[in-house]
Amino acid sequence: MNIGIVCYPTFGGSGVVATELGIALADKGHKVHFITYSQPFRLNQFNENLFYHEVNVNDYPLFDYQPYESVLASKIVDVAIYERLDILHVHYAIPHASVAYLAQQILKSRKISLPYVTTLHGTDITLVGQDPSFEPVIFFSLNNSNAITSVSESLRKDTLKTFKIANDVRVIPNFIKVSDYENNHGSCHRKNFAQPHEKILIHISNFRKVKRVEDVLRVFDIVRNRLPCKLILVGDGPERPAIDKLCRELNTCSDIISVGKIANPKEVLAIADLFILPSETESFGLSALEAMAMKVPVISSNTGGIPELNIHGKTGYMSNVGDVEDMAKNALALLDDEAKFREFKTNAFEQAKRFDIETILPMYEQVYHEVIAKGIQ
Ligand code: GMT
């Protein structure tokens, strides 16, 4: 198939999923065309089946807001015609689903059929999607998607609760390529971050409010009072100043290592003992899956789609949002008991294997085949 993919190329779960999906499809022989405003950060390898089409919005003094959607729609039309796309797959509803619809209608006027699949990732429904100013556009473009997928059952339910759409929403969970994790002999050395007797806690996110990174610091503070440990923070974002302030207040900065944004965090995950994910809401928790694939148990909140991934008492523990005392208690229960910790590491990896790309990729291919066969109305 000739597949067009539209996504956010920046650091963030939806862009990672879209890019890894595109790479896996290309490895399988499909031709994959990324249509984005900059090169997706994980699209950093040569593959004869992978193509990147940049969307350039020219500055013009009249515009207070750049007409990105119009340029993206025009680019999709161009790529669809000249690369003969069979299907377009857009990740994150806003604004990609409505842009896909516009491109589809333009192509239809030229007697070209381009069905589109919309994959919902989470905040496009649970946060941004709740904003009434987007409602009519999201409702319309979801209802007109030729297929909708969501990354968890929880997100599927949230979508159907928020938007009374007639369209079906199929769950296709996020994935990892297990073999990449099994063969990871990284260059990140534990001794550069912690003493041999110290444990390493890790958190990876885009440091937005929804991630509750302050809770990570509070959990770490409690655990650190009980046993020697370090905290590695991966990522950056708007909450960073608040985090810096809190670690000064708690007097824990000397034991926290902020490494910033990392394109592929496997290597640093390889030296961690526990992954902390206390999010307010989380449709899936791809970073937790990446941690589990590295045999790192997860201490998380029990919100959204996290329970579909993290099995309480087996691959990690879950607590109510904001209950940092309980999260710290759970972290200590694991770090204090070597046999239990080892068992949880194995369980985490076994659970991650259920989300291997080998299992998930055919689900997307199936959706593409069905949608292409059905065509557009
Ligand atoms: O987690 C983020 O803040 C980024 C966001 C995105 O769209 O880039 O992530 C969402 O999509 C990921 C990939 O499907 C999911 O694993 C994350 O759980 C989801 N984030 C939230 O729901 C907050």
Side-chain angles (χ1 to χ4, degrees):
M1 280 179 272
N2 274 347
I3 304 158
I5 292 186
V6 174
C7 66
Y8 283 107
T10 46
F11 284 77
S14 60
V16 170
V17 169
T19 310
E20 299 287 357
L21 175 63
I23 293 170
L25 287 163
D27 283 343
K28 224 172 155 182
H30 301 290
K31 296 232 179 298
V32 180
H33 297 266
F34 281 90
I35 308 167
T36 52
Y37 59 80
S38 68
Q39 175 120 353
F41 72 96
R42 282 207 188 169
L43 195 66
N44 52 6
Q45 54 181 262
F46 174 74
N47 181 316
E48 59 192 8
N49 290 328
L50 279 177
F51 306 90
Y52 165 57
H53 306 265
E54 193 159 284
V55 180
N56 284 308
V57 187
N58 291 329
D59 206 0
Y60 186 68
L62 181 68
F63 302 140
D64 275 343
Y65 303 99
Q66 302 298 316
Y68 171 66
E69 280 94 330
S70 302
V71 183
L72 176 60
S74 299
K75 193 68 164 187
I76 293 169
V77 168
D78 189 74
V79 176
I81 294 172
Y82 293 103
E83 304 293 346
R84 298 181 181 280
L85 294 185
D86 297 305
I87 188 149
L88 182 70
H89 189 172
V90 299
H91 292 259
Y92 209 88
I94 305 163
H96 300 147
S98 52
V99 172
Y101 177 78
L102 175 60
Q104 182 181 75
Q105 293 307 305
I106 295 169
L107 288 160
K108 192 177 168 191
S109 73
R110 299 182 191 193
K111 310 261 178 294
I112 295 169
S113 166
L114 182 69
Y116 71 96
V117 176
T118 303
T119 289
L120 305 172
H121 281 275
T123 48
D124 42 355
I125 298 296
T126 56
L127 294 182
V128 192
Q130 307 282 345
D131 182 339
S133 53
F134 287 116
E135 201 275 338
V137 171
I138 303 184
F139 177 78
F140 180 84
S141 53
L142 289 186
N143 245 342
N144 283 283
S145 294
N146 300 96
I148 307 173
T149 73
S150 81
V151 298
S152 64
E153 183 55 41
S154 150
L155 181 58
R156 177 180 180 275
K157 287 193 183 131
D158 281 342
T159 307
L160 296 176
K161 208 162 65 191
T162 312
F163 300 101
K164 303 282 171 253
I165 49 172
N167 239 341
D168 187 22
V169 178
R170 287 193 233 187
V171 177
I172 303 186
N174 285 335
F175 55 84
I176 30 97
K177 188 174 176 183
V178 172
S179 57
D180 279 356
Y181 290 80
E182 282 172 321
N183 305 327
N184 183 71
H185 306 293
S187 55
C188 186
H189 299 292
R190 201 181 158 101
K191 65 176 171 16
N192 293 335
F193 292 90
Q195 302 292 321
H197 65 286
E198 290 176 319
K199 301 292 183 190
I200 297 181
L201 278 57
I202 190 166
H203 171 76
I204 303 177
S205 78
N206 47 21
F207 286 56
R208 283 190 282 143
K209 240 190 167 44
V210 66
K211 299 294 175 180
R212 296 185 70 98
V213 189
E214 291 191 11
D215 285 2
V216 176
L217 265 69
R218 294 193 189 283
V219 170
F220 176 66
D221 184 38
I222 301 170
V223 173
R224 179 177 168 270
N225 284 332
R226 273 281 323 280
L227 54 82
C229 55
K230 289 277 164 49
L231 172 66
I232 301 182
L233 294 175
V234 181
D236 212 332
E239 287 302 293
R240 183 67 185 273
I243 297 312
D244 291 343
K245 184 166 172 274
L246 183 62
C247 91
R248 283 169 207 142
E249 277 167 26
L250 296 171
N251 201 18
T252 50
C253 301
S254 59
D255 287 328
I256 299 177
I257 305 118
S258 296
V259 296
K261 292 181 182 176
I262 297 180
N264 204 328
K266 283 189 202 78
E267 296 191 4
V268 65
L269 280 169
I271 63 158
D273 295 305
L274 286 183
F275 186 81
I276 315 290
L277 187 69
S279 304
E280 182 81 35
T281 157
E282 198 70 64
S283 70
F284 182 88
L286 180 64
S287 55
L289 174 57
E290 294 184 324
M292 287 160 75
M294 263 305 172
K295 304 194 171 117
V296 182
V298 174
I299 301 295
S300 69
S301 54
N302 53 10
T303 184
I306 297 179
E308 294 170 50
L309 174 67
N310 189 17
I311 306 171
H312 185 71
K314 203 166 172 208
T315 63
Y317 288 108
M318 291 186 294
S319 311
N320 291 332
V321 172
D323 194 345
V324 292
E325 296 284 342
D326 194 56
M327 290 178 199
K329 187 190 88 201
N330 290 334
L332 285 163
L334 271 181
L335 296 175
D336 275 342
D337 183 339
E338 187 58 31
K340 190 190 252 189
F341 177 59
R342 280 219 205 92
E343 186 192 321
F344 274 55
K345 278 173 82 65
T346 308
N347 294 344
F349 184 56
E350 288 306 312
Q351 170 72 343
K353 282 203 243 170
R354 291 186 48 229
F355 299 88
D356 189 14
I357 183 72
E358 302 281 332
T359 310
I360 307 298
L361 189 69
M363 298 185 190
Y364 278 115
E365 289 179 301
Q366 173 70 22
V367 172
Y368 297 165
H369 283 304
E370 281 175 27
V371 160
I372 293 168
K374 206 162 161 211
I376 62 168
Q377 313 305 327

